[in-house]
Amino acid sequence: MSEDADKNMSREERLAEKLRENLRRRKSQARKMTESRGETLPKGEQGS
């Protein structure tokens, strides 16, 4: 995100964007950990 975009966004929008970024990063980390251990989750449990 650029500084100009940050200035035009409300506090709630900035927090929501940071939350989405954090969630993406954590999901990616969890996937890598699961793959490195050779485990997979059943399809119904992956999105929880």
Side-chain angles (χ1 to χ4, degrees):
M1 225 184 317
S2 70
E3 285 186 31
D4 292 337
D6 282 344
K7 291 178 184 177
N8 293 332
M9 294 172 68
S10 72
R11 179 177 185 269
E12 291 80 15
E13 289 171 326
R14 288 193 308 273
L15 291 173
E17 181 61 30
K18 292 289 183 184
L19 186 61
R20 284 189 294 270
E21 290 174 10
N22 187 26
L23 181 59
R24 276 192 283 284
R25 187 178 69 246
R26 290 178 57 134
K27 281 187 173 185
S28 176
Q29 288 173 343
R31 271 189 231 109
K32 288 178 184 175
M33 287 178 58
T34 302
E35 289 171 0
S36 69
R37 291 186 297 185
E39 299 175 6
T40 58
L41 295 174
K43 277 193 171 190
E45 294 181 20
Q46 284 182 341
S48 26

